[in-house]
Every structure is written in C-alpha cells, then in structure tokens.
Amino acid sequence: PGIAVWLGHALEDAGRVEDAADAFAHAHRLLPDEPMIAAYLLAARRRLCDWRDVDALSAQVRAAVRTRTAPVEPFSFLSEAATPAEQLDCARLRASIVRGTVSPLPPVDRNSRSDGPVRLGFLSNGFGAHPTGLLTVAMFEALATHAGIQPHAFALSADDGSSIRRRIAQATTLHDVALRPHRAIADAIRAARVDVLFDLRGWGGGGAPEVLAMRPAPVQVNWLAYPGTSGAPWIDYVLADRVVLPPSLAPHFSEAVVRMPHGFQPSDTTRALRQAPPRAACGLPDEGVVFCCFNNSYKLNPESLARAFRVMHAVDGSVLWLLSAPGRADYRLRDAARDAGIEPSRLVFMPKQPHPDYLARLQLADLFLDTGPYGAHTTASDALWAGCPVLTRPGDTFASRVAASLLETLGLDELVAPDDEAFVEIAVRLGRDGDARTALKARLFDARDAAPLFDMPAFAAAFVDIAKRMAQRWRDGLPPAPFDA
C-alpha cells in the first residue's frame, strides 16, 4: 500500500490524475482501515467528481480527525461537511507535526523595536498571476501611500514575468525566497526586521508553515488564502470580518480574532473589462438563462449539483456553465445531469482562460450558483467585479461564508439564502424574470462604485490601523487579544 500511495502522488505530479486515483484506490483496498489513505483517495475523487463511496470515505476521515488518529491535510478537509470543531482538531494535529520538525529562532528583543515604522511582512507563493496576487496587488499599491509602515513581500514562487508580479515589486520591498531552505527564509524575514508577518497561504499547499513555526516575526497572522483556523501556536491572529467569522465561530479558532470593518477580502480594482465574446464562441446557446459555477471541481459535490439541477428543471432552456475539470470529470458531471433528468448538453464547460478573457466571459452569465460547504472565494469576487450576481447559501464554517461576506459588503443581502429551499426559490425567480435580472445587475454595478467592497484605499487604511494595533500590543508587552476595527 505504501508503494501505491507514492505512485499516486507521482502520477498526480505528472498530471495523470485518473491513474493517481486508481493507485490510491488500490492502496485503500489493501489497507481499508488506514484513514490517511482514505483521505488521499477522498481528495482525488472529489477533484475528479468521482463520487463513488465519498460518504463512507468522508465519515472515515472525519472520525480519524475527531479521535486525532491521522494528520489529514486541513485544506482537503475543507471540502467535507465537517464541523468547525473538527476543522480545528484537523489543523491542530497538522500543526503539531510541523512543530516537531523545526527549532524556533531566538525571541525578538522588544527594546530593539520600540519605535520606528511598523514593518509588515507578507509570505506567499502567489505573488504573480495567481489568485492571491490578483486579490492583493491593488491593496499593496494603496498601502504604499501610507506613512509609518514598510511592506515587505516574501515570494515563495519564482518571478513569473507577469504584470501582477511587477506591480507588487513596485509597491513593496519584494524578497525572492523561492526554493530557499526554510531556515534561510526565516532568517531573511528576521533580517528585514518584520514586526507583523501575514501568512497568505496557511495550509493551502505551496506555503511554508515550517518558516512560520520558527517565529521569524514577533506577531504572526493568518489571512486570506486559507479559509479556516491554522490550529498553530505560532499564529497569533486571524484577520476576518463579522460575516465569515461571527462570534459563534470564534471558539473554534486557535487565533485571536480580529475583524475588518467591512469585508476581509481585497481585490484588484484596476482591472478593465474587455468586451464579452459572442455566446456561440463559448459554446453557449443563443438564448436562455446562463447559470454558472466556476468553482474548482473539488468544491462540487452531489448536494450542490442536485440543488443546481432543481433550478434548471424549473427554468426552461437554461444552461449551467462550469469550469472544465481534470480527467474524466466533465463526463461524470454530464452523467450526473442525465441521472437527474437534465439533458447533458445543458452543461457547458469552459477551459481555463487567461484572466482578462475569463472576466470577459463572466459577463455572459446571468447568475453564479455557489457551492457548499466550500464556496466561492476569488471566483465570487471575480464574478461580482464582472457584473455577474452570485447566489450563496452560507454554512457554519469560514470556507462556506466568503461569498456571503462579499454580498453583504456590497449591500446585496437578498442573494444570501438562509437554506437550500430559499436558494432554489431565489434562483428560479431570477431565472424566470428577465426584468428582475436586469435590475439586479444594475444594482450590482452601482454597488461596485459605491459600496466598500472594492474601495481599496479605505481597505488599506483599515488594514494599516489593525496592523499597527497588533504591533503596538506586542511593543507594550501585551499578549494577542481579539478586537474589531
């Protein structure tokens, strides 16, 4: 079984995702009671929309997390219908393994940082043409206008030559630490005298939790890319807002909760929208309502698809526009539509596009149907920027509430459904009423200009205030504590 697991990982790296899932399935047949192997198989099948045995696999993985018998990857665990308490257990177990592999740096001397500008560090593998770069670049440019701070970006990925990378380098002091040993990265952060370090990757893969476990900065913050608790004793704060992390959820976060005055997610508000291509060029019919969901395939599941199919049944001539998924996932989704009584051709798939082309295509969609328990994040922001309304149904976890945060910050609360029945009812009503869709899109465009969601100068001002308060608490010798901006 061990050989089969490593073969599965190698096949994933080679892009042979169907063969990788078969290798994990073989390992699971050999060791059916091993939860780590179950977790590998579960994640692979979710990515491929191969939902055979996913309920049993999910139950096995969740039981292992509750009993703390297997260090399941927290990012994959976000796609399960787990409780916030289970997500915390999952993250804590993963953090305990990292903690045992590194030695912390000596603590920073408070007297050496008693005055002077507050140095902000940002650690990520996404400083380029990547969702993290797309979300943060305009905020970094707004930060550059503020006195009393010095932003430093520590890039775990090499320069991709993109305009996003160039803009981030111009707005910050950018340190290229790609492929460097963890200790060297921690030393670079310490040498830059960073006061508050923001982890923009968390357990999302491609990050460097070992670096943060070394405590290169006196204050360390979980923000933006990983929508859940780090469970890590080396992370002091989580930066959120009142919608994604309400008071009821705070006990299930290991960090002190700090809330932005509006949404926690920034966006690149400099993006121009190209003219939308003809519908036929995208494989869309000339007429009919276009529902869409461009979330990654691992966020799709039988429950979310069943909800969308109910909407399609009630809106004649409608189609569901999806992001083309790996392997044979598209064929499986069409099979699921057929099983639900939906003509498979009513599912239209879009290959991944360069970001400007993707935004242009989004303008052809009438309504974005969100998923759960892992909902739209950057995809929701992109849709709203392009003028496509998003309908969501928030759950109990951070990962399920991001679209709700964006919508409430825009003042479009009516698109936040309290339950599945309301979700279907709202989608059907909008699908059948062209005038209502036109009015909704007009409100969305007005809100883009007037609401705080896309106001990056105001976002940066609140961000700077929060970071300075975090730094000052440490300079005053006070422990991290929750607060709202």
Side-chain angles (χ1 to χ4, degrees), residues 128 228 259 314:
R259 295 181 178 89

Side-chain angles (χ1 to χ4, degrees), residues 59 73 85 102 152 243 253 424 441:
E73 282 300 323
V102 300
H152 293 256
V243 177
F253 275 67
V424 172
K441 285 198 172 190

